[in-house]
Amino acid sequence: MTDVKTPPKLAPGTLRVIPLGGLGDVGRNMTAFEIDGQIAIVDCGVLFPEDDHPGVDLILPALDYLNDRLDDIVALVLTHGHEDHIGAVPYLLKRRSDIPVYGSRLTLAFVAAKLREHRIREFELDAVEEGDILEIGNYEFEFLAVNHSIPDALAVAIRTKGGTVLHTGDFKMDQLPLDGRITDLRGFARLGEEGVDLFLVDSTNAETPGFTAHEKDIEPAMQRVFEGAKGKLIVASFASHVHRIQQVMDMAVKHDRKVVYVGRSMVRNMSTARDLGYLKVPAGTLIELKDIDKYPDDKVVIISTGSQGEPLAALSRIANRDHPVVEVGTGDTVLLASSLIPGNENSVYRVINGLAKLGATVVHKGNAMVHVSGHASAGELLYCYNILRPKNVMPVHGEVRHLIANGKLAESTGVPKSNVIVIGDGDVVDLKNGVARKVGTVDASYIFVDGSTVGDISESIMDRRILGEEGFVSVITVVDMHNNTIVSGPEIQFRGLAEDASAFDEARARVEEALLDALRDGVDDTQRLQQITRRAVGQWVSRRLRRRPMIVPVVVTT
């Protein structure tokens, strides 16, 4: 938990800035702004769990800080459509569904699909474009184009009585972008002339010298992968990386391969991107997964989720030989067209090793130029500081080392050290008359999502560290083989699953039904009855809790 030092009462005309996530982690990006009783929020993303959070699905920003202030929120502004910036939107709107949400067309299309999945039926999504200026309550928002590893990314300038803030979102300065949409440095320069009191700037690549490579620079390496692939070719990417999927699509057409999507989020997002015109798919290129066996292995490209080693994503299931359709072996090629998000290294290398053990050739950023970052490197950040000449700088989006490195870059361009504010989640900064200072701290602890459970599941996490990542379930049943009846049970015990005992009543009924059906059909083998028990419990837990626990069935016969 964050050490809390209660900030003073907010003075009239002062802008308060509170990062509720994204400072110290690469993920759960969210910043709250408050002035004269009104709150505006920029981004609302998730953090994906690491190995020390076994069984956790998602980690949310500090939404609880807003619980008593939900009616004061006048706007939620989204900079782009990556999960670490939009993934927590449904969890915020479940607390108040009519918060107005602003973002680009593609970003809001991704959000709308997520809200429907969460069964949120009524919401307000307002599309904006670069160049738009909106007055909302005590705020004026101006949106500027930036390029990133997803189309339609935006920076946002926020003008208030307390001062002007520029928030970059995630960005880079690719001068040869695939979609021709460059970062609006002319707009940055204009804001610099106007005066930027506080600059919130992406820190992810602040330690990387020079300039981030162009997206086009990976095409020669991708070409070599396609030319060398003699069997199945699987390309794993972020499900929202439209630019990368377009490159794979174009390369597939060039090499006479059909394309199939694997992974629910990939299918959903790429369908949305195609419908909105951001992804160009030549006629006859896409096929359904169910039709993949109609084509030779060397005539298909499988575009898959799971580039970060997520245990339930398609690529992990393929590596574990647990995918219902796709298998890999000797002669097949897997291309990981993504970077490693800090904290995911172990998960990714576990998948790489699993694929290699099956005989596949695995191509990744560590052994080929198959991915470029979506974030500005140190050279680009220096350009921004010199163009803007901000009075104060607050590095955002990154681990502590990234924030510190970004702060030092700001100092090197002449920003006074006292005006470089390197802080963490929950720290409170007040801006007034060009002066920005830390004034306190609020609780910005993690909020865990475990299946359908949101909140404190720390005891459950400790159980999983001991029992295994997905938890443990035992089922004990005593059956009478002569009368085909259940004498006792099914008795279900579990650990590492954030549910009370009553949640398993339905699973208990399903096991009982399955066992009685088997007994009536003449099944008299204890091992088969245990397999039926395991299958019934496993299907229920997977659907109801989205978990894959260790299941130990015991059937005792009389």
Side-chain angles (χ1 to χ4, degrees):
M1 180 178 291
T2 306
D3 291 331
V4 175
K5 178 185 176 184
T6 304
K9 183 179 179 180
L10 184 57
T14 299
L15 178 65
R16 178 159 287 176
V17 184
I18 308 174
L20 300 176
L23 274 64
D25 296 305
V26 179
R28 72 173 200 142
N29 297 291
M30 183 175 185
T31 306
F33 299 85
E34 180 182 356
I35 188 167
D36 296 336
Q38 294 185 345
I39 295 174
I41 299 168
V42 173
D43 289 332
C44 188
V46 296
L47 173 68
F48 292 102
E50 300 180 15
D51 289 344
D52 58 348
H53 300 123
V56 172
D57 294 324
L58 300 170
I59 301 173
L60 305 181
L63 300 180
D64 289 349
Y65 170 77
L66 300 167
N67 278 348
D68 297 330
R69 304 291 307 278
L70 292 172
D71 290 339
D72 297 330
I73 301 172
V74 296
L76 168 60
V77 174
L78 303 174
T79 59
H80 64 282
H82 279 152
E83 285 292 303
D84 58 334
H85 292 257
I86 68 169
V89 172
Y91 298 94
L92 177 61
L93 294 193
K94 284 178 182 178
R95 303 180 183 212
R96 182 190 147 198
S97 63
D98 63 344
I99 296 173
V101 182
Y102 300 88
S104 64
R105 278 201 314 147
L106 183 63
T107 300
L108 295 186
F110 286 170
V111 169
K114 297 180 75 64
L115 296 178
R116 287 191 290 269
E117 279 193 353
H118 283 260
R119 299 181 181 179
I120 299 174
R121 305 301 182 192
E122 296 184 9
F123 44 81
E124 181 183 342
L125 304 182
D126 298 292
V128 295
E129 299 178 340
E130 57 263 29
D132 286 352
I133 298 176
L134 300 180
E135 291 189 13
I136 303 171
N138 298 328
Y139 300 88
E140 180 183 273
F141 300 98
E142 179 178 354
F143 299 92
L144 300 95
V146 293
N147 56 35
H148 183 41
S149 53
I150 186 173
D152 256 10
L154 296 166
V156 57
I158 306 171
R159 297 182 180 91
T160 71
K161 291 180 180 178
T164 297
V165 177
L166 176 60
H167 193 312
T168 65
D170 285 351
F171 84 112
K172 61 179 177 178
M173 290 162 53
D174 191 336
Q175 299 304 299
L176 299 171
L178 297 177
D179 60 2
R181 184 175 178 271
I182 64 172
T183 293
D184 186 6
L185 295 181
R186 294 176 66 184
F188 279 30
R190 174 176 48 77
L191 286 169
E193 291 298 318
E194 176 185 321
V196 173
D197 297 295
L198 181 62
F199 186 31
L200 275 63
V201 55
D202 179 11
S203 306
T204 310
N205 271 3
E207 288 187 312
T208 305
F211 293 77
T212 300
H214 305 306
E215 293 283 344
K216 290 183 177 180
D217 290 348
I218 74 166
E219 291 178 1
M222 190 177 289
Q223 171 80 12
R224 289 191 292 272
V225 170
F226 271 77
E227 290 174 349
K230 305 306 180 186
K232 290 189 184 77
L233 175 56
I234 300 173
V235 180
S237 176
F238 292 115
S240 53
H241 199 334
V242 179
H243 294 323
R244 187 71 70 248
I245 305 307
Q246 185 70 69
Q247 288 174 302
V248 175
M249 190 77 64
D250 294 344
M251 200 69 68
V253 171
K254 183 177 180 180
H255 289 84
D256 193 28
R257 287 183 182 248
K258 301 295 184 181
V259 173
V260 58
Y261 300 137
V262 176
R264 185 179 62 175
S265 58
M266 183 69 72
V267 173
R268 181 190 67 210
N269 287 353
M270 291 309 113
S271 297
T272 299
R274 181 183 187 181
D275 290 345
L276 294 177
Y278 294 96
L279 181 69
K280 310 298 182 185
V281 182
T285 301
L286 271 181
I287 62 172
E288 297 289 334
L289 181 59
K290 61 182 176 62
D291 296 327
I292 193 171
D293 289 336
K294 297 178 181 179
Y295 299 86
D297 287 349
D298 62 353
K299 291 299 180 182
V300 175
V301 175
I302 299 166
I303 301 180
S304 167
T305 57
S307 63
Q308 297 303 304
E310 304 95 315
L312 297 183
L315 191 63
S316 291
R317 298 184 66 188
I318 293 168
N320 293 330
R321 304 183 71 177
D322 188 35
H323 196 277
V325 178
V326 182
E327 296 179 352
V328 299
T330 303
D332 296 333
T333 302
V334 179
L335 168 61
L336 271 66
S338 64
S339 60
L340 274 174
I341 294 177
N344 292 349
E345 294 88 350
N346 290 341
S347 299
V348 173
Y349 287 124
R350 191 178 299 123
V351 170
I352 291 174
N353 288 328
L355 293 166
K357 189 180 294 186
L358 295 174
T361 299
V362 185
V363 183
H364 54 89
K365 190 178 179 183
N367 58 26
M369 177 69 171
V370 291
H371 179 74
V372 296
S373 175
H375 303 271
S377 297
E380 292 151 273
L381 295 174
L382 291 173
Y383 265 92
C384 288
Y385 288 129
N386 285 326
I387 289 171
L388 286 165
R389 292 293 177 187
K391 294 177 182 176
N392 302 275
V393 170
M394 180 176 150
V396 295
H397 303 174
E399 297 182 341
V400 172
R401 60 192 172 94
H402 303 132
L403 305 178
I404 292 172
N406 203 353
K408 289 181 178 178
L409 291 174
E411 290 178 38
S412 71
T413 64
V415 179
K417 185 173 184 177
S418 60
N419 293 11
V420 177
I421 306 165
V422 179
I423 58 173
D425 291 339
D427 288 335
V428 179
V429 172
D430 282 357
L431 174 66
K432 177 77 176 212
N433 297 327
V435 178
R437 293 290 180 267
K438 178 181 171 181
V439 297
T441 305
V442 300
D443 184 12
S445 302
Y446 285 175
I447 299 175
F448 297 108
V449 177
D450 171 25
S452 60
T453 303
V454 179
D456 184 7
I457 55 174
S458 56
E459 182 179 348
S460 174
I461 288 174
M462 183 59 69
D463 286 340
R464 292 196 195 105
R465 290 176 182 168
I466 299 169
L467 299 172
E469 180 174 332
E470 297 290 326
F472 173 89
V473 178
S474 68
V475 188
I476 301 174
T477 312
V478 180
V479 301
D480 183 341
M481 291 290 197
H482 301 290
N483 297 315
N484 293 336
T485 59
I486 294 175
V487 177
S488 176
E491 181 181 339
I492 299 179
Q493 302 290 332
F494 61 92
R495 294 297 300 274
L497 294 165
E499 296 289 326
D500 58 41
S502 64
F504 280 85
D505 289 346
E506 182 183 349
R508 189 174 294 106
R510 287 179 177 273
V511 171
E512 183 175 354
E513 181 183 359
L515 287 176
L516 289 174
D517 286 345
L519 290 169
R520 284 191 289 265
D521 289 341
V523 176
D524 59 2
D525 180 83
T526 301
Q527 186 174 2
R528 284 190 63 193
L529 292 173
Q530 290 177 165
Q531 290 175 339
I532 290 167
T533 300
R534 178 184 289 109
R535 188 179 305 116
V537 173
Q539 290 174 346
W540 181 86
V541 173
S542 176
R543 189 188 71 257
R544 169 70 170 76
L545 305 179
R546 293 189 293 171
R547 302 255 63 82
R548 297 175 62 197
M550 178 189 298
I551 300 172
V552 179
V554 177
V555 174
V556 179
T557 62
T558 63

